[in-house]
Amino acid sequence: MTRTSPLAGVKTDTLFVNLGPQHPSTHGVLRVGLTIDGEVITKAVPDIGYLHRGTSKLAEVRGYHHCVVLTDRWDYVSAMPNNLVFCLAAEKLMGLKIPPRAKALRVLMCELNRIASHLLFFGTYGIDLGAFTPFLYAFREREMVLDLFEMCCGARLTYNYIRLGGVMVDVGDNWIAKTKEFIEYFKPRLDEYDTLLTYNPIFMVRTREVGKIAAEVAVNWGLSGPNLRGSGVNYDVRKADPYCGYEQYDFEVPLGKSGSCWDRYFCRVSEMRQSVRLCEQVLATLPPGEFMAMGVAKVPKPAAGEAYAHVEGARGDLGIYLVSDGQASPYRMHVRAPSFINLAILQEMLVGNKVSDVIAILGSIDIVLGEVDR
Amino acid sequence: MTASGSGQAPPPKKVIPDPVFNEKNGRLLKDTRYWPTEVWANPWASPAYRRGAMLLIGIIGAIFATGWMIGELAPLGDTLYQLIASVASAGGLPQTATEATWIMIKALIILHVVLINGLWAVWWERKISAHIQSRVGPTYAGGFHGWAQTILDGIKLLLKEDITPAVADKWVHALAPAIVVVPVIIAFAPVSFGSQLAAADIDVGVLYIFAFAGISVIGVVMGGWASGNKYSLLGGLRATAQLVSYELPRGFSVVPVIMFSGSLDLSVIAHAQAGYWLGFIPKWFIFYPLVGQLAFIIFLIASVAETNRTPFDIPEAESELVSGFHTEYSGMKWSMFFLTEYGYVLLACFLLATFFLGGGAAPLPGLEIIPSWIWMLGKAMAMMFVFLWVRWTFPRFRADQLMDFNWKFLLPWSFANIAFAAAALLYLS
Amino acid sequence: MIAYFRTVFTAAWALLQGMAITLKYLFKPSITIHYPTEKLVPYEKFRGALLFDAETCISCNLCVKACPSACIQLENATNPQTKKKIAKVDWYSIDFGKCNFCRLCEEVCPTKPKAVWHSLDYEVVFYTRDEMVRCWKAGINYIGKYWNRKEKIFKDPEGQISIQEVHSRR
């Protein structure tokens, strides 16, 4: 006997819901057009461009020193790698040689910034899943990192610290002592985060089976950073293509297993531990000497040519392609923004999930709209 | 500089002045960056911390004082009743008039319990959540630890524009807050605030409370439906599923209590828990081995879910549904929803205290000299702290996981608990 | 069966541990700075609102060229007799609406002490758009004045901090 559904003949319809751009947890001005059937997503269309400022175009009319200021505004929660990647590309064009102390300081700042960025992710992911308290704990620690940046370079968010040929200013002993104080304070906090969120059963049940990306799919969509490593693909620019002397330091690349939201989250939390390790190593082996290369032109005019540099930003493989035609400003600048490329997979991942999972997945991809739209 | 040795005094070093700030409002902090490493090093050295500790002691004292005051004022009720009766008989009115007036007065008192609880609980929640998160919470309104914050918020909500969305179902939209808030006030009637202290001594008090507490969900669904907002609609629908489901384990977890005490009357249940085992373990229901703890945990979890609070706040999940069913409400209509939430929290706290923590019974023999209403209020407030504590610690469930948790975990265990209780009763008899 | 109970108890234990952490912080002092009543002095290198000293400036135009967002404008003073440009500034303006606070202008300034430098003022708040564009001339203090378009006069910015000199920085 075949059973007929009690709902047979009932006319049902899907519902179109605008998630964003003013939604509280789209992390900026992302809009996702969701077609939902009950609570299940049948179609998701991310809509970006609300924060477009055209920095690639702006760079074409600015000198190389000025472009560093523009890069601060892409990924504004971790601006140091942005500065760094532009400087690396421009230095390649100009053939500058960077003093070892500047290199070590660059590594140190990028790792501190990675901690700050991942702390923001940790906090906002907690909020996305309804836990408000870890957010403020994370920000409490993040404030300390930002204080360190303020003490070192004067700004808390848009640093303009890493410059062509080196860094803006040297760090003092006072700063180094403060950084060590922070690191000592921060290590036990990471264990608390694990207790509060990582191994919280509610958190795990929310994230472990949700938003799984197979390794193959992740590679095909061009994901990078913790999103890729969460799927178990061991690709980290710091290891694969070392820059700024990352090869001298001892650190691990945390990998996930199943590529679920929890794995991506766990990769980031583990990366914070590795960043702490890296900071300690850099502080222990900080070489003396100049912090700025000699002979950096006030108005650099590199010879015609092209250069590509990429770094492991907090969100993934951040690359810059610079073309010079011998003028004072770049002929063309192209940014490989990891957030933008990571966001593309969203439309495929969301289908079939619940509305609550949209937030969990979106949060776990950890986009910054400043970098998506540039 | 002075190496020239010409005998001339070196030029006086330019004195660097301290940065001058706009000190129009406030003092300047020059030394500390407020790093936790500095602030937590020696908390008792900071006067603010000592003041905070004093305030906490003061609040606990005030809770007990309130409990004492309730008890002291209660006998005045009899006098008042006599007065009304004499006035009524002098005016030649029938006995029902006296009763009606008396019920009105009692209803008014219950109404104010809910209202004042709203003021207090919101402030308390803000303070507790703030300090859990290393913040301070409201500090300015009223001058002293922001004590007037919720009063002023209430005034603000009263003065706010009442917005009804253009696409809203106007009548249903306006009616929903009322339907939400009325049952909670009604449900308070049989709650005993101490021995012999209940607005209505109903024989089936437990059933009465659960019956009326279930009505609020209709208002929530109406609010979600009538707002004309898709998020509200989702929130309202989620609320239906959740509240209806969690009624079941909540009711069933109380069944062992009723079996042991043999009554549905709240004051009888409270009285059944008086006395001590071995002279010092109170005979509270939570201390009944296995059955008591299981029932307590299930009732606590289900109560948190019934009050729509984290980790079960999916109907209003602010990161998913913006604000769920009350997204489109503003001003006083919105605060009705809020009042309801805190009313139910208080109700759940009193029920927890009555069912599991012995009501007005003292925790140790010899402490009976402290009146029951003080114990009752103290226990209820302790439970309220647990509510806040849970809320500000955990992330939230997903809608289907919430259902799984209810139907596959809480409900079976509450049934099992009834079986355990029955077995224990059989064994004891 | 044992696995089931183990799961339940591990979950419950993890939840209780989380609650223990929040309880621990409940009794720790808060780290909040009560901002309007308590203010921090930023670190020495802090890049706050730009200040300008018209007496020191030699009108070399380097800061104008260094600015990535073109928010600085200036005009040379001229000798009234010879009508030739001299190394003094006639007027100097910064548009804080465009300013990036990037420190490039301060770094490039050749005078000693610096003619344009970042103060420690982080309370850069404007009531009107007019106030964002600050103008300096000889005799105007470091904060500058703004051109009030309504009243058609130069005015002192309202509620702005009187002065913050950072001598060690200049």
Side-chain angles (χ1 to χ4, degrees):
Chain A
M1 192 183 96
T2 53
R3 295 178 62 185
T4 51
S5 163
L7 290 175
V10 177
K11 189 180 172 293
T12 60
D13 205 352
T14 54
L15 194 65
F16 183 81
V17 176
N18 259 320
L19 193 83
Q22 275 106 17
H23 191 274
S25 48
T26 49
H27 298 265
V29 281
L30 172 70
R31 172 174 168 260
V32 188
L34 295 174
T35 310
I36 57 174
D37 181 9
E39 282 240 0
V40 182
I41 315 289
T42 54
K43 196 184 170 197
V45 185
D47 182 8
I48 59 171
Y50 290 89
L51 203 57
H52 180 64
R53 291 149 299 175
T55 40
S56 303
K57 189 72 192 167
L58 285 172
E60 290 171 18
V61 291
R62 272 160 177 76
Y64 284 87
H65 285 297
H66 299 170
C67 290
V68 181
V69 178
L70 294 180
T71 61
D72 281 332
R73 272 82 187 163
W74 299 336
D75 181 355
Y76 37 76
V77 289
S78 68
M80 287 286 182
N82 300 357
N83 287 349
L84 177 62
V85 69
F86 181 82
C87 290
L88 285 178
E91 281 155 8
K92 254 186 201 174
L93 276 178
M94 295 171 207
L96 285 172
K97 199 170 176 316
I98 310 305
R101 189 175 174 86
K103 279 187 178 175
L105 284 177
R106 285 175 170 190
V107 171
L108 181 57
M109 292 303 165
C110 284
E111 292 310 317
L112 278 178
N113 214 165
R114 192 186 310 279
I115 292 175
S117 170
H118 285 347
L119 277 175
L120 184 120
F121 161 77
F122 169 82
T124 48
Y125 201 46
I127 286 200
D128 286 349
L129 299 179
F132 196 75
T133 305
F135 171 73
L136 281 139
Y137 291 168
F139 264 62
R140 186 181 63 203
E141 271 75 83
R142 189 169 178 268
E143 279 298 297
M144 298 171 78
V145 184
L146 297 190
D147 267 359
L148 288 174
F149 285 139
E150 183 194 326
M151 193 175 171
C152 165
C153 72
R156 296 171 72 84
L157 211 60
T158 52
Y159 310 110
N160 192 19
Y161 178 71
I162 295 168
R163 300 283 178 82
L164 300 180
V167 293
M168 179 207 249
V169 283
D170 204 351
V171 297
D173 292 339
N174 195 8
W175 188 85
I176 291 172
K178 274 245 175 198
T179 313
K180 281 178 177 160
E181 188 187 335
F182 163 73
I183 286 173
E184 283 315 307
Y185 163 83
F186 185 57
K187 279 185 205 160
R189 299 285 97 75
L190 278 167
D191 296 336
E192 284 178 2
Y193 295 163
D194 277 356
T195 319
L196 263 182
L197 216 52
T198 314
Y199 296 116
N200 184 311
I202 302 175
F203 179 79
M204 277 162 72
V205 87
R206 273 298 298 275
T207 51
R208 282 207 107 146
E209 302 300 322
V210 172
K212 283 192 177 178
I213 312 176
E216 201 180 323
V217 178
V219 173
N220 285 346
W221 279 88
L223 299 191
S224 55
N227 295 328
L228 180 66
R229 293 194 285 274
S231 304
V233 182
N234 191 350
Y235 174 74
D236 188 320
V237 184
R238 291 175 294 177
K239 288 276 190 197
D241 185 11
Y243 52 92
C244 287
Y246 263 109
E247 63 275 8
Q248 343 164 1
Y249 304 113
D250 175 35
F251 68 99
E252 287 157 24
V253 179
L255 291 179
K257 287 193 183 75
S258 64
S260 65
C261 289
W262 192 84
D263 279 308
R264 266 165 279 165
Y265 162 89
F266 189 66
C267 271
R268 293 198 176 92
V269 174
S270 311
E271 265 187 26
M272 282 200 270
R273 289 175 200 275
Q274 299 303 326
S275 292
V276 167
R277 266 180 77 190
L278 271 165
C279 287
E280 279 179 330
Q281 288 175 45
V282 177
L283 283 174
T285 62
L286 195 61
E290 286 295 309
F291 61 89
M292 191 61 146
M294 298 299 283
V296 182
K298 284 267 161 64
V299 184
K301 288 183 181 172
E306 53 188 48
Y308 182 77
H310 61 159
V311 300
E312 184 67 27
R315 271 156 198 81
D317 185 351
L318 174 65
I320 276 207
Y321 177 60
L322 266 185
V323 182
S324 166
D325 56 354
Q327 299 292 316
S329 51
Y331 177 74
R332 174 82 173 93
M333 177 171 84
H334 171 74
V335 190
R336 188 214 182 271
S339 290
F340 174 66
I341 293 161
N342 293 346
L343 183 63
I345 199 172
L346 193 70
Q347 50 194 308
E348 194 179 277
M349 277 166 81
L350 290 185
V351 174
N353 282 307
K354 305 254 182 340
V355 174
S356 307
D357 292 338
V358 173
I359 310 298
I361 292 168
L362 192 58
S364 77
I365 291 177
D366 189 23
I367 47 163
V368 166
L369 265 293
E371 195 178 53
V372 172
D373 294 341
R374 294 191 300 289
Chain B
M1 246 199 292
T2 52
S4 58
S6 61
Q8 278 182 341
K13 208 178 167 191
K14 204 174 174 189
V15 181
I16 299 167
D18 285 330
V20 180
F21 264 73
N22 192 358
E23 293 195 59
K24 201 159 67 180
N25 17 274
R27 71 198 167 88
L28 207 54
L29 297 174
K30 286 184 179 134
D31 303 316
T32 174
R33 295 295 299 182
Y34 269 63
W35 271 31
T37 47
E38 293 159 16
V39 181
W40 295 346
N42 186 9
W44 287 103
S46 125
Y49 191 71
R50 291 199 295 268
R51 279 203 304 275
M54 291 306 291
L55 177 72
L56 188 61
I57 294 166
I59 286 171
I60 294 168
I63 289 171
F64 287 133
T66 316
W68 176 77
M69 208 173 69
I70 293 169
E72 292 299 306
L73 288 177
L76 291 179
D78 290 337
T79 328
L80 188 65
Y81 183 76
Q82 299 295 336
L83 191 72
I84 295 165
S86 60
V87 168
S89 58
L93 292 163
Q95 179 70 17
T96 43
T98 322
E99 291 299 325
T101 324
W102 186 230
I103 286 169
M104 292 282 278
I105 288 169
K106 285 200 283 193
L108 213 61
I109 290 168
I110 292 297
L111 178 67
H112 280 85
V113 166
V114 176
L115 290 176
I116 292 167
N117 167 65
L119 292 179
W120 146 254
V122 172
W123 181 83
W124 186 227
E125 168 144 45
R126 283 180 173 186
K127 276 299 193 192
I128 290 287
S129 68
H131 283 283
I132 277 180
Q133 297 163 351
S134 295
R135 298 186 284 118
V136 287
T139 26
Y140 291 96
F144 182 72
H145 287 275
W147 65 271
Q149 184 70 47
T150 40
I151 299 169
L152 296 177
D153 273 355
I155 294 168
K156 180 204 80 175
L157 286 168
L158 275 171
L159 297 177
K160 254 174 110 169
E161 186 191 354
D162 178 33
I163 299 165
T164 309
V167 290
D169 192 335
K170 302 254 176 341
W171 281 99
V172 184
H173 186 84
L175 202 59
I179 290 185
V180 166
V181 82
V182 167
V184 67
I185 299 165
I186 297 174
F188 260 97
V191 171
S192 70
F193 297 93
S195 63
Q196 307 298 321
L197 259 180
D201 224 356
I202 304 173
D203 287 343
V204 287
V206 181
L207 276 183
Y208 174 91
I209 288 172
F210 287 148
F212 273 102
I215 293 177
S216 283
V217 65
I218 299 170
V220 170
V221 181
M222 281 166 66
W225 170 258
S227 293
N229 179 324
K230 289 162 185 171
Y231 289 120
S232 299
L233 177 62
L234 282 174
L237 294 178
R238 283 176 175 195
T240 333
Q242 179 190 341
L243 297 183
V244 169
S245 307
Y246 274 83
E247 288 279 313
L248 290 171
R250 196 178 188 218
F252 283 125
S253 68
V254 186
V255 171
V257 181
I258 297 162
M259 284 161 75
F260 276 108
S261 58
S263 171
L264 284 166
D265 192 334
L266 284 166
S267 45
V268 174
I269 291 173
H271 275 296
Q273 301 175 58
Y276 302 91
W277 286 307
L278 308 174
F280 68 97
I281 305 173
K283 281 185 177 172
W284 299 353
F285 197 73
I286 192 176
F287 292 119
Y288 282 48
L290 186 63
V291 184
Q293 289 95 35
L294 209 54
F296 175 77
I297 290 167
I298 293 171
F299 190 81
L300 182 67
I301 292 173
S303 299
V304 174
E306 280 287 297
T307 46
N308 289 341
R309 295 166 71 80
T310 322
F312 305 98
D313 66 340
I314 53 155
E316 45 195 283
E318 76 273 2
S319 61
E320 295 153 20
L321 301 182
V322 189
S323 225
F325 58 86
H326 57 65
T327 308
E328 297 291 352
Y329 283 92
S330 65
M332 218 46 210
K333 281 187 193 163
W334 175 82
S335 61
M336 292 280 181
F337 286 109
F338 222 62
L339 209 62
T340 315
E341 183 183 326
Y342 286 102
Y344 276 126
V345 170
L346 188 73
L347 183 65
C349 292
F350 272 112
L351 290 183
L352 277 162
T354 313
F355 290 152
F356 301 102
L357 302 177
L364 283 173
L367 289 174
E368 288 100 343
I369 44 163
I370 300 173
S372 64
W373 29 88
I374 292 186
W375 286 121
M376 188 72 192
L377 198 66
K379 286 167 186 170
M381 288 300 127
M383 290 327 294
M384 188 178 266
F385 172 73
V386 172
F387 267 73
L388 305 185
W389 187 15
V390 165
R391 168 161 187 182
W392 293 103
T393 306
F394 296 132
R396 86 167 65 82
F397 278 106
R398 202 173 65 202
D400 57 326
Q401 288 160 350
L402 190 107
M403 290 293 141
D404 277 4
F405 183 65
N406 177 43
W407 294 102
K408 294 183 185 167
F409 184 83
L410 287 183
L411 198 58
W413 277 107
S414 61
F415 278 135
N417 204 22
I418 296 172
F420 295 156
L425 272 176
L426 272 179
Y427 178 77
L428 288 175
S429 64
Chain C
M1 192 68 176
I2 292 164
Y4 175 80
F5 280 110
R6 187 177 291 146
T7 322
V8 170
F9 280 112
T10 9
W13 180 241
L15 292 174
L16 284 177
Q17 275 181 323
M19 287 176 77
I21 284 177
T22 43
L23 191 68
K24 185 181 94 184
Y25 282 116
L26 176 63
F27 295 109
K28 290 218 178 195
S30 66
I31 51 157
T32 313
I33 300 159
H34 303 245
Y35 165 63
T37 51
E38 295 179 354
K39 287 173 187 172
L40 285 174
V41 176
Y43 290 112
E44 196 188 291
K45 283 180 190 138
F46 185 72
R47 309 204 295 246
L50 284 167
L51 301 183
F52 179 72
D53 183 3
E55 309 297 329
T56 324
C57 182
I58 56 166
S59 193
C60 63
N61 239 11
L62 279 177
C63 50
V64 179
K65 284 175 187 156
C67 183
S69 51
C71 71
I72 304 178
Q73 289 179 346
L74 65 84
E75 192 163 308
N76 270 65
T78 47
N79 190 324
Q81 275 93 51
T82 58
K83 305 280 180 209
K84 272 188 180 165
K85 284 183 180 177
I86 54 169
K88 281 279 167 202
V89 72
D90 181 26
W91 59 263
Y92 187 92
S93 85
I94 296 175
D95 186 350
F96 281 111
K98 290 182 188 170
C99 181
N100 273 319
F101 298 89
C102 64
R103 216 185 109 157
L104 287 175
C105 52
E106 183 191 322
E107 277 172 14
V108 87
C109 186
T111 62
K112 205 170 168 111
K114 304 269 187 198
V116 56
W117 75 99
H118 282 287
S119 68
L120 301 186
D121 179 10
Y122 52 83
E123 296 169 317
V124 197
V125 182
F126 308 100
Y127 291 107
T128 59
R129 271 163 196 269
D130 289 357
E131 269 183 65
M132 287 184 181
V133 186
R134 294 289 167 76
C135 194
W136 286 269
K137 283 182 178 209
I140 293 179
N141 71 11
Y142 299 141
I143 294 175
K145 293 194 181 235
Y146 75 97
W147 175 250
N148 190 322
R149 279 184 295 186
K150 210 182 256 173
E151 299 171 26
K152 298 206 188 324
I153 44 163
F154 279 105
K155 283 184 111 172
D156 279 324
E158 231 175 292
Q160 189 74 19
I161 294 153
S162 59
I163 185 73
Q164 294 163 34
E165 281 192 85
V166 191
H167 279 259
S168 51
R169 284 277 302 287
R170 282 183 76 195

